[in-house]
Amino acid sequence: MYLLLYLLLKLQLFFIYVSPSLSSMTELDTLMAIKDSLDPENHVLMSWTPHVDPCSGAFEGVACNEQGLVANISLQGKGLSGTIPEAIASLKSLTGLYLHFNALNGMLPKEIASLTELSDLYLNVNNLSGDIPREIGNMSNLEVLQLCYNKFSGSIPTELGNLRKPSVLALQYNRLSSAIPASLGELGTLTRLDLSFNNLFGPIPVTLANAPKLESLDVRNNSLSGSVPEALKRLKDGFQYINNAALCGIEFAELDSCIAVASSDPTKPEPYEPKIEPKSVKPESKNCSETNCEKPSESSKIGIIFGVIGVLVGCIVFGFSVFLWYRGRKQKVESNAEISDSTVSIGQIKERKISCPLINLEYSNGWDPLAKGRSGYSQEVLESFMFNLEEVERATQCFSEVNLLAKGSFSAIFRGILRDGSIVVVKCIAKTRCKSDETEFLKGLKTMISLKHENLVRLRGFCCSKGRGECFLIYEFASNGSLSQYLDLKRGDYKVLEWSTRVSIINGIAKGIGYLHENKETKKALVHQNISAEKVLLDTRYNSILADSGLHKLLADDVVFSTLKASAAMGYLAPEYATTGRLNEKSDIYAFGVIVFQLLTGKHNISQLNLQQVETDNFKEILDENLEGKFSESEAEKLWSIALLCTHESLNLRPSMNNVMQELSTE
Ligand SMILES: *[C@@H]1O[C@H](CO)[C@@H](O)[C@H](O)[C@H]1NC(C)=O
Ligand SMILES: *[C@@H]1O[C@H](CO)[C@@H](O)[C@H](O)[C@H]1NC(C)=O
Ligand SMILES: *[C@@H]1O[C@H](CO)[C@@H](O)[C@H](O)[C@H]1NC(C)=O
Ligand SMILES: *[C@@H]1O[C@H](CO)[C@@H](O)[C@H](O)[C@H]1NC(C)=O
Ligand SMILES: *[C@@H]1O[C@H](CO)[C@@H](O)[C@H](O)[C@H]1NC(C)=O
């Protein structure tokens, strides 16, 4: 009896507990299905678990409305590598879906169009392919559609012209090949339309020029032809059109007039006067100064808002100054063959040099590290490294938290997209953490600029902002992250590196370090001082590239000291540092040996393994089990002995990197 009562009570409690969110319980199933699809390996959405109320705040990135229904899903930049499921269409109250900056594959399901409340759809910078579903035209509340930087192909659906409230359509950097639908001109609310870097052909529809709120239209790098509607002149710099096969027009600076084409072209625009006053269409200059790299905003709300604004600015507005930039950069492109191919050969642009706004670069009065004649470098070399603050802010969307990759003790690292579309990493360092002595700082910077090797992360640019009190180093982006992400993996993890990859990573690091130690530029060995699995980055093809070479030369002594302490804690610091307080090439060799051990064992923490005691003939027992026996015994043995030598207690007995490389290259 009591038992029954007890059970009833329990049951009731259970219902009391469950009932307020009963509606969201059905959404729970949907969310679990979404999770399985977005994150099939369950690496990211670990917090999405059954038997938990998704509206309780426990589900990462899920926000509910007052009715207890899912309103927003914000999972930007999380490394999601799955696909977007049809199931998402069941979240009827969804207003915002933010899945940008991930690695999502597959198609965009047409079912998404049944989300009639959805106003913000951010899928930019993923790997989505297939057609853009025409059903999207049914989404009556859609305001922002961000599909840029994907692999969408096919045509731009004419149905997009049925949208009721769109303000931003960003479709740039896809593989769309169709004409531009004239229906887009009927979008009375549209302010920005970016179609650049696709394979669009045909004319720019006259109707588009009639869209009353349009401020920005970017059609660069397509195959458009025909006569440009004169009315687009009202957009001034908001209209970007270079690199199209056969556009012509009157009074557009970069276009020939259309004598021959116009007569045969049925799409020839009528003479047209804009009904509205031409508006000033200066790009919104966002005030970035409220964030800085020492303290990026902690709140995820702000992160989302910044994300939204930032992506708007980044994805759409960044086109605004590309034209100016191309003009400004052209000479740099010519003088620096290393800048990525995509920026080269911007033909037929008039030479008009826009001088780099040095005001953004100055560090303090008379403290402009890259000012003319100060560094001993030719102006061309320096210019190719100079970025202005605006470029850095735009690339990182005003240092939006969305783009924050890591935050260390003295720097913050952001991902960014440059205007040529290349992805970079921006490292920002507070001025107070830099060397205060100008000459020394300059020397350091010169050294860093001089480093060029395929196994070192390439420094693409540099900028100091007096206003923000920060310096920025712009590096190439390594798409496969750092080596440390490939250690301590569970059995069967898809990240487990194959044997041959491990060997080539070791070879690459050795070459990179070898280059630093044999530095021909400075004729003096450059000691890296901070080699670790974190600093070994992997590019698209898993080539290893070493990060932060020479960085210590820019940093204040106490900052360098604290990085050494961190490196000691992780076991990379050679023992002699404790006694001599100095580092030389042999300390880099030590750290290299540690990394070789890490690659062989698959483990971060090798100090417990007591490696020097492991007999050479039974080292195989502590090789990474994840290799599942698939390795070359002779190579493994060789690497093992190299690692042992490199981590020798006595620095005199450690080999030089030259010796190591010789050893590695012998059969
Ligand atoms: C969803 O996101 C939008 C835009 O960031 C925001 O205005 C709204 O308050 C969010 N809704 C909830 C329930 O968090
Ligand atoms: C992107 O998708 C294509 C198929 O469309 C696939 O072959 C490729 O591996 C994907 N890339 C990444 C990085 O997921
Ligand atoms: C949605 O769009 C498709 C194709 O554009 C159309 O056939 C269908 O009738 C639309 N559905 C609704 C509910 O409007
Ligand atoms: C843009 O077009 C120019 C000229 O056709 C071409 O050289 C360049 O590679 C294109 N850029 C990109 C990123 O496709
Ligand atoms: C940006 O914000 C800073 C600090 O809040 C302020 O001093 C500065 O005037 C602002 N600049 C602009 C362009 O709004």
Side-chain angles (χ1 to χ4, degrees):
M1 182 64 196
Y2 280 117
L3 188 70
L4 200 67
L5 212 68
Y6 175 73
L7 277 178
L8 272 172
L9 216 78
K10 264 280 202 208
L11 211 63
Q12 201 187 354
L13 275 175
F14 179 67
F15 273 114
I16 289 170
Y17 173 69
V18 166
S19 52
S21 55
L22 206 58
S23 45
S24 64
M25 288 307 280
T26 56
E27 291 206 325
L28 177 60
D29 297 334
T30 307
L31 286 171
M32 296 316 291
I34 292 173
K35 167 189 165 149
D36 286 345
S37 180
L38 292 180
D39 183 26
E41 316 265 355
N42 194 20
H43 287 308
V44 184
L45 301 178
M46 268 91 90
S47 63
W48 292 30
T49 49
H51 318 301
V52 174
D53 179 0
C55 293
S56 64
F59 276 41
E60 180 178 6
V62 173
C64 297
N65 60 19
E66 281 157 8
Q67 289 76 47
L69 296 167
V70 177
N72 287 330
I73 296 182
S74 311
L75 295 170
Q76 58 273 33
K78 297 282 183 213
L80 297 169
S81 56
T83 56
I84 300 174
E86 287 168 24
I88 209 143
S90 312
L91 300 175
K92 293 294 179 209
S93 300
L94 201 64
T95 59
L97 182 58
Y98 307 95
L99 298 176
H100 45 298
F101 289 125
N102 280 300
L104 297 170
N105 284 288
M107 320 247 284
L108 175 57
K110 62 176 188 300
E111 286 75 11
I112 202 158
S114 58
L115 294 173
T116 46
E117 298 297 314
L118 196 69
S119 67
D120 292 17
L121 181 54
Y122 283 73
L123 301 175
N124 39 310
V125 200
N126 275 295
N127 188 30
L128 300 171
S129 53
D131 290 333
I132 298 175
R134 52 178 53 224
E135 288 78 6
I136 285 184
N138 293 347
M139 300 176 75
S140 48
N141 275 303
L142 194 64
E143 293 172 25
V144 178
L145 178 61
Q146 286 281 357
L147 302 179
C148 56
Y149 291 95
N150 275 292
K151 291 179 181 151
F152 287 111
S153 53
S155 55
I156 301 176
T158 36
E159 286 83 356
L160 290 186
N162 301 336
L163 291 170
R164 306 264 179 81
K165 307 181 181 168
S167 66
V168 173
L169 297 181
L171 308 179
Q172 70 271 28
Y173 286 94
N174 276 294
R175 296 167 178 178
L176 300 168
S177 58
S178 70
I180 302 177
S183 60
L184 296 185
E186 284 152 33
L187 298 171
T189 51
L190 189 66
T191 56
R192 305 187 193 290
L193 176 60
D194 197 333
L195 306 173
S196 58
F197 299 88
N198 278 294
N199 306 314
L200 304 173
F201 51 83
I204 299 176
V206 187
T207 53
L208 210 47
N210 300 359
K213 293 239 169 90
L214 193 65
E215 292 174 4
S216 160
L217 172 63
D218 193 339
V219 296
R220 283 171 300 136
N221 275 55
N222 279 291
S223 306
L224 300 172
S225 57
S227 160
V228 173
E230 255 186 278
L232 284 174
K233 257 184 257 163
R234 77 182 158 92
L235 303 184
K236 304 204 175 98
D237 286 346
F239 176 45
Q240 309 259 336
Y241 52 84
I242 58 164
N243 288 334
N244 274 287
L247 279 183
C248 61
I250 307 155
E251 287 177 42
F252 288 96
E254 311 294 336
L255 296 181
D256 297 329
S257 51
C258 316
I259 307 133
V261 187
S263 56
S264 64
D265 186 354
T267 62
K268 183 187 171 211
E270 306 293 325
Y272 170 78
E273 286 301 318
K275 292 192 188 75
I276 57 164
E277 288 301 303
K279 268 198 265 173
S280 159
V281 287
K282 285 267 148 59
E284 292 153 35
S285 76
K286 237 205 73 66
N287 194 339
C288 292
S289 60
E290 283 119 48
T291 59
N292 75 34
C293 65
E294 287 243 297
K295 318 179 193 70
S297 104
E298 299 294 329
S299 143
S300 66
K301 270 241 171 72
I302 293 176
I304 293 170
I305 294 163
F306 263 79
V308 172
I309 299 168
V311 170
L312 286 189
V313 175
C315 238
I316 307 296
V317 179
F318 88 62
F320 267 103
S321 5
V322 159
F323 185 37
L324 288 182
W325 177 75
Y326 271 162
R327 295 214 277 203
R329 277 254 148 171
K330 181 171 185 256
Q331 280 140 7
K332 291 171 210 167
V333 169
E334 283 170 344
S335 65
N336 186 347
E338 279 206 30
I339 285 191
S340 72
D341 292 342
S342 59
T343 63
V344 184
S345 77
I346 298 129
Q348 80 275 69
I349 299 171
K350 280 182 200 150
E351 299 265 337
R352 206 185 85 197
K353 186 160 175 170
I354 308 269
S355 64
C356 209
L358 284 174
I359 196 139
N360 284 328
L361 286 161
E362 71 183 354
Y363 199 69
S364 69
N365 230 355
W367 208 112
D368 175 1
L370 297 181
K372 206 169 196 155
R374 296 188 73 104
S375 62
Y377 270 89
S378 73
Q379 196 62 11
E380 288 93 275
V381 172
L382 289 177
E383 276 197 7
S384 66
F385 277 93
M386 285 200 296
F387 275 63
N388 64 45
L389 184 59
E390 240 188 331
E391 282 175 72
V392 179
E393 288 177 340
R394 186 177 296 112
T396 58
Q397 303 166 351
C398 287
F399 305 98
S400 146
E401 198 173 80
V402 169
N403 290 330
L404 184 65
L405 291 174
K407 205 166 163 307
S409 51
F410 66 91
S411 67
I413 299 168
F414 293 87
R415 172 166 32 189
I417 300 179
L418 294 185
R419 282 170 290 188
D420 65 357
S422 56
I423 300 182
V424 291
V425 167
V426 176
K427 194 178 193 105
C428 44
I429 306 172
K431 195 185 138 188
T432 51
R433 306 305 180 97
C434 293
K435 284 215 187 314
S436 52
D437 182 279
E438 174 184 343
T439 332
E440 271 184 64
F441 185 94
L442 259 177
K443 236 174 87 187
L445 190 61
K446 256 174 78 173
T447 307
M448 287 179 73
I449 290 177
S450 72
L451 299 174
K452 288 198 180 77
H453 188 270
E454 58 179 352
N455 296 107
L456 301 182
V457 175
R458 182 160 74 95
L459 180 66
R460 291 192 53 167
F462 173 80
C463 161
C464 269
S465 160
K466 184 186 175 190
R468 296 177 57 100
E470 287 166 343
C471 284
F472 307 98
L473 296 164
I474 296 108
Y475 289 103
E476 72 183 317
F477 177 74
S479 56
N480 278 312
S482 78
L483 182 56
S484 61
Q485 294 161 17
Y486 298 84
L487 298 174
D488 296 330
L489 298 176
K490 288 204 203 82
R491 198 152 195 162
D493 192 308
Y494 75 104
K495 279 189 162 172
V496 170
L497 297 169
E498 281 177 20
W499 177 254
S500 59
T501 312
R502 298 185 201 210
V503 174
S504 96
I505 288 172
I506 291 170
N507 274 298
I509 309 169
K511 283 188 209 154
I513 299 173
Y515 170 85
L516 293 175
H517 290 182
E518 291 245 303
N519 197 333
K520 300 236 165 53
E521 292 287 333
T522 56
K523 310 228 166 53
K524 195 170 158 246
L526 178 66
V527 181
H528 186 292
Q529 299 196 355
N530 195 11
I531 296 169
S532 69
E534 293 282 331
K535 305 289 175 192
V536 174
L537 307 184
L538 301 177
D539 73 7
T540 352
R541 279 170 295 163
Y542 292 88
N543 295 315
S544 45
I545 43 179
L546 192 56
D548 288 351
S549 309
L551 183 63
H552 63 277
K553 293 188 158 260
L554 297 189
L555 301 174
D557 291 345
D558 60 328
V559 177
V560 173
F561 182 68
S562 73
T563 62
L564 290 180
K565 269 202 330 211
S567 143
M570 294 186 294
Y572 295 104
L573 197 60
E576 67 270 13
Y577 181 73
T579 49
T580 65
R582 273 194 230 136
L583 292 170
N584 61 19
E585 294 100 301
K586 293 294 177 73
S587 12
D588 280 353
I589 301 286
Y590 184 91
F592 169 79
V594 172
I595 291 180
V596 176
F597 275 136
Q598 289 176 323
L599 272 162
L600 291 174
T601 60
K603 293 190 177 56
H604 251 120
N605 192 345
I606 55 152
S607 55
Q608 308 159 327
L609 300 176
N610 215 351
L611 298 161
Q612 302 284 348
Q613 256 80 67
V614 175
E615 298 294 325
T616 312
D617 30 331
N618 60 8
F619 75 87
K620 268 174 264 164
E621 279 159 32
I622 54 175
L623 281 193
D624 188 359
E625 287 175 5
N626 288 329
L627 285 167
E628 296 175 340
K630 288 182 218 133
F631 62 92
S632 144
E633 280 202 21
S634 58
E635 276 181 322
E637 202 175 320
K638 182 168 74 181
L639 291 173
W640 192 265
S641 57
I642 288 177
L644 275 178
L645 267 180
C646 289
T647 51
H648 202 285
E649 196 81 12
S650 156
L651 79 164
N652 296 322
L653 294 177
R654 285 176 219 149
S656 71
M657 195 42 86
N658 231 335
N659 301 148
V660 172
M661 283 193 288
Q662 268 163 18
E663 187 62 26
L664 283 172
S665 62
T666 56
E667 283 304 309

